[in-house]
Amino acid sequence: MFMKSVGLIVEYNPLHNGHAYHLQASKKASGADVAICVMSGYFLQRGEPASFSRRTRTEMALAAGADLVVELPYAYSTQHAHWFARGAVSILDDLFADEFYFGSEAGSIQNFHELDAFMQNHHSPLQKNVRDHLASGVSFPAAQAKAFHDVDPPEHLPDLSKPNNILGYHYVKAARQLGATINANTIPRIHAQYHDEVLPEGQSIASATAIRKILSKHADVSLIRPYVPPMVYEKMEQFYEKGQPMHTWNDYYQFLQLLLSTRSSDALAQIYEAEEGLENRFIKTALKQPTFQNFMNTAKTKRYTWTRLQRLAVHMLTGTTKTDIDKVFGSEARPRDIRILGFNEPGRKYLNAVKNRTPLSLYNRPPKRKNTQQTLDERAARAYFAILSGTKRVEKWQDEYAQPPVYLEKED
Amino acid sequence: MFMKSVGLIVEYNPLHNGHAYHLQASKKASGADVAICVMSGYFLQRGEPASFSRRTRTEMALAAGADLVVELPYAYSTQHAHWFARGAVSILDDLFADEFYFGSEAGSIQNFHELDAFMQNHHSPLQKNVRDHLASGVSFPAAQAKAFHDVDPPEHLPDLSKPNNILGYHYVKAARQLGATINANTIPRIHAQYHDEVLPEGQSIASATAIRKILSKHADVSLIRPYVPPMVYEKMEQFYEKGQPMHTWNDYYQFLQLLLSTRSSDALAQIYEAEEGLENRFIKTALKQPTFQNFMNTAKTKRYTWTRLQRLAVHMLTGTTKTDIDKVFGSEARPRDIRILGFNEPGRKYLNAVKNRTPLSLYNRPPKRKNTQQTLDERAARAYFAILSGTKRVEKWQDEYAQPPVYLEKED
């Protein structure tokens, strides 16, 4: 390969200094010419609408140093860690990225490989323990974490109760299971924890969650200035000047309520992730609760994680059925048709170099005749912009979804 | 029967002087002790949300002189004239109303009976003509009107191109087909035409369409004072003081767009009245049109009437499938479970007198275990209030749907 490349798996919701650090550090550590980001589109892994649109986040990624941004299709982006990781790693491998870097609480890739091996070696007892813990009524991730501790893992293995370690483990496992030639790597996360909601004073690193919280509570966008790269900040300022709101779940709750209160429970049971009568619990709850926060607090049980339930709610919005996902995954569950979201000049050169060799079918704009994976992406975009009114919805949808990739000219 | 009763089939959207006249004239002409109104609930025959809620319109009916108001179930209310008439006449007959009165452009019931006989005698040529006209691409009602003229009907028969004559014909036909003991009667409509949109100056009769138009364009509710009974006017004033908006199709358009842009065309094809690929035409149109008016203007073809398309749109909102309607209609298509919406003292006495003899199962509040007909009514109520925000939606839904019937005390 004439250009060395490094891959990152991102959501950038929004892109902050921690992300920018990770991007630059990955490029430096790998000595890569080109950084490829696989980015989720309109709905994210935790079952939330992206606060900022796909195009905006693509521009942020390029501004922060990404050379090529491609989309992680909806069928993989709003998913359990297992499918999310498999989709993303598969794309990076098929784009011939030499390695990929993920951020983790435990910063050594060797430990992740050992964890993966340990999990394989203890497969049967782990499975049994997971079943036992599930039977006691806890959630699947909690059962996994407990099962893991039950088999007494060596202390240096990454702790599977931390979200970024879970993702990291699934990345490493996915690469192995896919027989990928791409090498996994990790960079220790600095300062902010994934779920931190408080902005650390006098520091330049804050979590995306903390940044979104500030933006949703205060009209003053300048409060986030210390925590995002200057070019991202400029973009956010423009965004706020135009009066474009962040998309939050509460904006979509009225739609969810309509669906839950008018569709039959048989129809809702066909939605992906509607298991064990969750659709009936959702129906009952939606009829009584005035806000999405109340809805989630009431629908939540020990058995299902918040993110698991949010993903189900997203699939209801987008009308994604079990049959749809079965069709997309087929026999191999590897994404094949990948949309290019943006690139700069090195990214363009890289694309030209790989386009005839990659097993992926790369495309700039959605084709007229869409396969099921592309249909789900389209529906996600439509659902995402459904909260806007009148002509704005139609315009935005065309602007953000039907346009060619973002091209960032090199600034010299 | 110890009390003589007269039936009316109404929407009262809103109730105006023409309706009040028709009510009083029917009572007088029939010499009835009790006037029974069969009233549509949340969505109307022309495929529109009721501008005012079911409860408000029930109160209007009682204030204008109705003694008993029962609901025409959704499965019959948002329907072709054939099913609408069959449902309403069946209920009135099963409530032992001695006769029912409808308003018509042609004011003689004898002419409607002759029309019904004429239609039977010319059944075969009429059917053939309808098929031929349909093949030329016109709408079903237009084909029927043309076919009717082709067989050269006697001039005194009611003109089947006028909407109230079409309904009248279906009422008379329904009574015959049901083997009903109820007698059909008609009262000539006075002044305003069904579709009139201009308020006639210096007159006390205006169409409901004209009144809604005024209310939607002007904040000044007093403009409609000349055209509605004083008690209805008071109610409308209160309504406007509370800032409760009229429900219009445009309020629901965002929901319709979400459904059309995210559900599969296979799923949408299951909706009642989605025939000949109409669902695909709807999908294509919803993606581009910013308002419901634009949507309808673009979706409209010669082949389908405006009301036919609006009804399909309503069924999409309420999630009513072909299977649902098949289940409700069963082998006989006669409504059996009927909700009582309101009554005064004579109405209460009448109910007591008929309740043990009627084949209907009359109920005050919806039961926990609902049959399909009742489930459709419930979904219609939920969809109807879906446009309200937060706690208001939940409150209104409970207020308007779950409460016992309205009881109007006799004012002496």
Side-chain angles (χ1 to χ4, degrees):
Chain A
M1 194 71 205
F2 83 112
M3 292 168 99
K4 200 166 156 51
S5 60
V6 64
L8 293 96
I9 299 159
V10 306
E11 293 189 332
Y12 292 163
N13 188 42
L15 188 145
H16 57 60
N17 287 342
H19 295 131
Y21 160 80
H22 182 253
L23 214 168
Q24 296 302 336
S26 305
K27 257 179 138 168
K28 196 172 163 189
S30 62
D33 307 298
V34 166
I36 307 170
C37 289
V38 179
M39 192 177 82
S40 304
Y42 295 104
F43 292 94
L44 307 181
Q45 208 244 325
R46 295 175 72 199
E48 287 167 335
S51 300
F52 307 96
S53 79
R54 196 181 60 172
R55 194 170 184 88
T56 302
R57 290 178 297 119
T58 300
E59 289 167 353
M60 288 176 181
L62 293 171
D67 300 286
L68 171 61
V69 185
V70 300
E71 183 166 19
L72 181 64
Y74 174 84
Y76 298 89
S77 75
T78 306
Q79 276 287 9
H80 297 274
H82 173 78
W83 296 116
F84 178 87
R86 185 178 172 92
V89 172
S90 174
I91 293 169
L92 289 173
D93 194 44
D94 285 341
L95 284 172
F96 311 112
D98 298 287
E99 44 189 350
F100 70 96
Y101 279 81
F102 59 89
S104 65
E105 285 87 0
S108 139
I109 194 66
Q110 186 50 38
N111 289 350
F112 277 98
H113 286 300
E114 282 182 33
L115 171 62
D116 182 34
F118 179 85
M119 297 292 274
Q120 289 179 74
N121 292 336
H122 294 76
H123 183 69
S124 296
L126 278 167
Q127 272 208 320
K128 190 194 168 297
N129 292 350
V130 166
R131 274 196 305 272
D132 290 349
H133 286 296
L134 280 176
S136 81
V138 301
S139 73
F140 191 73
Q144 278 189 313
K146 280 171 190 274
F148 179 63
H149 284 288
D150 290 347
V151 293
D152 209 11
E155 261 191 36
H156 70 285
L157 295 190
D159 178 358
L160 273 186
S161 63
K162 300 204 171 170
N164 277 287
N165 286 343
I166 294 175
L167 270 177
Y169 160 65
H170 284 284
Y171 291 142
V172 169
K173 189 187 69 173
R176 173 179 53 78
Q177 289 182 339
L178 288 164
T181 54
I182 194 170
N183 287 315
N185 259 309
T186 186
I187 287 179
R189 289 170 61 85
I190 47 171
H191 305 295
Q193 294 299 311
Y194 191 59
H195 289 301
D196 282 358
E197 296 196 347
V198 181
L199 282 185
E201 270 183 79
Q203 293 183 23
S204 62
I205 306 288
S207 74
T209 308
I211 293 171
R212 288 198 303 273
K213 199 137 196 163
I214 284 292
L215 287 173
S216 69
K217 282 196 180 160
H218 305 273
D220 183 4
V221 66
S222 75
L223 288 170
I224 67 159
R225 191 200 290 258
Y227 310 107
V228 297
M231 290 176 82
V232 169
Y233 182 69
E234 261 174 57
K235 203 163 284 298
M236 299 292 269
E237 251 186 344
Q238 288 163 16
F239 212 73
Y240 271 70
E241 273 166 22
K242 282 193 216 155
Q244 286 171 344
M246 286 206 300
H247 291 234
T248 71
W249 239 121
N250 227 22
D251 301 323
Y252 296 87
Y253 183 52
Q254 220 171 346
F255 291 123
L256 185 68
Q257 279 192 307
L258 179 84
L259 291 169
L260 286 168
S261 62
T262 57
R263 306 301 112 165
S264 70
S265 78
D266 284 356
L268 292 167
Q270 291 169 26
I271 296 293
Y272 184 60
E273 300 230 51
E275 307 289 352
E276 299 183 345
L278 272 183
E279 66 280 5
N280 293 318
R281 190 172 176 83
F282 267 33
I283 290 172
K284 229 175 94 185
T285 311
L287 290 174
K288 292 187 187 151
Q289 299 304 326
T291 66
F292 185 69
Q293 192 72 24
N294 291 354
F295 170 82
M296 284 297 299
N297 282 329
T298 312
K300 179 86 187 65
T301 61
K302 261 179 84 181
R303 188 82 173 91
Y304 293 100
T305 62
W306 189 278
T307 54
R308 167 78 172 75
L309 295 179
Q310 282 198 154
R311 281 197 296 265
L312 171 56
V314 167
H315 297 315
M316 286 181 168
L317 275 188
T318 57
T320 304
T321 63
K322 289 162 185 164
T323 314
D324 289 334
I325 296 290
D326 282 349
K327 271 194 210 158
V328 175
F329 283 4
S331 54
E332 58 167 15
R334 293 193 74 152
R336 288 298 181 199
D337 298 276
I338 298 304
R339 184 157 181 190
I340 300 164
L341 297 181
F343 47 82
N344 58 15
E345 194 49 29
R348 198 189 58 76
K349 282 193 185 131
Y350 188 85
L351 274 175
N352 278 335
V354 300
K355 70 179 175 198
N356 293 322
R357 298 197 303 127
T358 175
L360 300 179
S361 156
L362 297 166
Y363 65 100
N364 289 327
R365 291 178 196 239
K368 278 224 163 166
R369 290 184 75 92
K370 295 175 184 67
N371 59 28
T372 308
Q373 178 199 293
Q374 290 164 328
T375 300
L376 293 187
D377 289 336
E378 184 181 45
R379 283 196 219 149
R382 289 172 178 177
Y384 184 78
F385 291 112
I387 58 166
L388 304 177
S389 60
T391 51
K392 215 170 168 190
R393 174 178 43 221
V394 177
E395 281 165 26
K396 263 286 169 189
W397 183 68
Q398 286 176 341
D399 272 13
E400 297 269 351
Y401 180 72
Q403 279 202 357
V406 179
Y407 177 69
L408 184 78
E409 285 199 53
K410 195 108 190 168
E411 305 190 10
D412 293 308
Chain B
M1 193 72 203
F2 83 113
M3 291 168 100
K4 197 165 159 52
S5 60
V6 63
L8 294 95
I9 299 160
V10 306
E11 293 189 332
Y12 291 162
N13 188 42
L15 188 145
H16 56 61
N17 288 342
H19 296 131
Y21 161 80
H22 182 254
L23 214 168
Q24 296 302 337
S26 306
K27 258 180 138 167
K28 196 171 163 189
S30 63
D33 306 299
V34 166
I36 307 170
C37 289
V38 180
M39 193 178 80
S40 304
Y42 296 105
F43 292 94
L44 307 182
Q45 206 244 326
R46 296 176 70 199
E48 287 167 335
S51 299
F52 306 97
S53 79
R54 196 181 61 173
R55 196 173 182 84
T56 302
R57 289 179 298 119
T58 300
E59 289 167 353
M60 289 176 182
L62 294 171
D67 300 285
L68 172 60
V69 185
V70 300
E71 183 168 20
L72 181 64
Y74 174 84
Y76 298 89
S77 76
T78 308
Q79 276 287 8
H80 296 275
H82 173 78
W83 297 116
F84 178 86
R86 185 179 172 91
V89 172
S90 174
I91 293 169
L92 289 174
D93 193 45
D94 285 342
L95 284 173
F96 311 112
D98 298 286
E99 42 190 349
F100 70 97
Y101 279 80
F102 58 91
S104 66
E105 285 86 359
S108 142
I109 193 66
Q110 186 50 38
N111 289 350
F112 277 98
H113 286 299
E114 282 183 34
L115 171 62
D116 182 34
F118 179 85
M119 298 293 274
Q120 290 179 74
N121 292 335
H122 295 75
H123 183 70
S124 296
L126 278 167
Q127 272 207 319
K128 190 195 166 297
N129 292 351
V130 166
R131 273 198 306 273
D132 289 350
H133 287 296
L134 280 176
S136 80
V138 302
S139 73
F140 192 72
Q144 278 189 313
K146 279 170 191 275
F148 179 62
H149 285 288
D150 290 346
V151 293
D152 208 13
E155 260 190 36
H156 69 283
L157 295 191
D159 177 359
L160 273 185
S161 63
K162 300 205 171 169
N164 278 288
N165 285 344
I166 295 175
L167 271 176
Y169 160 64
H170 283 285
Y171 291 142
V172 170
K173 188 187 69 174
R176 173 178 53 78
Q177 290 183 338
L178 289 163
T181 54
I182 194 171
N183 286 316
N185 260 309
T186 186
I187 288 180
R189 290 170 61 84
I190 45 171
H191 305 296
Q193 294 298 311
Y194 192 56
H195 289 301
D196 282 357
E197 296 196 347
V198 181
L199 282 184
E201 269 184 82
Q203 293 184 22
S204 62
I205 306 287
S207 74
T209 309
I211 293 171
R212 289 199 302 274
K213 199 139 197 162
I214 284 291
L215 287 172
S216 69
K217 282 195 180 160
H218 305 273
D220 183 3
V221 67
S222 75
L223 287 170
I224 67 159
R225 190 200 288 258
Y227 310 106
V228 297
M231 291 178 79
V232 169
Y233 182 69
E234 261 174 57
K235 204 162 281 301
M236 299 292 270
E237 251 187 344
Q238 288 163 16
F239 212 73
Y240 272 70
E241 272 166 25
K242 283 192 213 154
Q244 286 171 343
M246 286 207 301
H247 292 234
T248 70
W249 238 121
N250 226 23
D251 301 323
Y252 297 87
Y253 183 51
Q254 221 171 344
F255 291 123
L256 184 68
Q257 280 192 307
L258 179 84
L259 292 169
L260 286 169
S261 62
T262 57
R263 306 301 111 165
S264 70
S265 78
D266 283 356
L268 291 168
Q270 291 169 26
I271 296 293
Y272 184 61
E273 300 230 52
E275 306 290 351
E276 300 184 343
L278 272 183
E279 66 280 5
N280 293 316
R281 188 172 177 85
F282 267 32
I283 291 172
K284 229 175 94 184
T285 310
L287 290 173
K288 292 187 186 151
Q289 299 304 326
T291 68
F292 185 69
Q293 191 72 24
N294 290 354
F295 170 82
M296 285 297 298
N297 282 328
T298 313
K300 179 83 187 65
T301 61
K302 259 179 85 181
R303 188 82 173 90
Y304 293 100
T305 62
W306 188 280
T307 54
R308 167 77 172 74
L309 295 179
Q310 281 197 156
R311 281 198 296 264
L312 171 56
V314 167
H315 297 315
M316 286 182 169
L317 275 187
T318 58
T320 303
T321 62
K322 289 161 185 164
T323 315
D324 289 334
I325 295 290
D326 282 349
K327 270 193 212 158
V328 174
F329 283 4
S331 55
E332 57 166 17
R334 293 193 73 152
R336 288 296 180 199
D337 298 276
I338 298 304
R339 183 155 182 194
I340 300 164
L341 297 181
F343 47 83
N344 57 15
E345 194 48 31
R348 198 189 58 75
K349 283 193 185 130
Y350 189 85
L351 274 174
N352 279 335
V354 301
K355 70 180 176 200
N356 293 323
R357 300 197 302 128
T358 176
L360 300 179
S361 158
L362 297 166
Y363 65 101
N364 289 327
R365 290 177 196 241
K368 279 224 162 165
R369 290 185 75 92
K370 295 174 184 67
N371 59 27
T372 308
Q373 178 198 294
Q374 291 164 327
T375 301
L376 293 188
D377 288 337
E378 184 181 46
R379 284 197 217 146
R382 290 172 177 176
Y384 184 77
F385 292 112
I387 58 165
L388 304 176
S389 59
T391 51
K392 215 171 168 187
R393 174 177 42 222
V394 177
E395 281 167 24
K396 264 286 168 189
W397 183 68
Q398 285 177 342
D399 272 12
E400 298 269 352
Y401 180 72
Q403 279 200 359
V406 179
Y407 177 70
L408 184 79
E409 285 198 54
K410 194 108 189 168
E411 303 190 14
D412 294 306

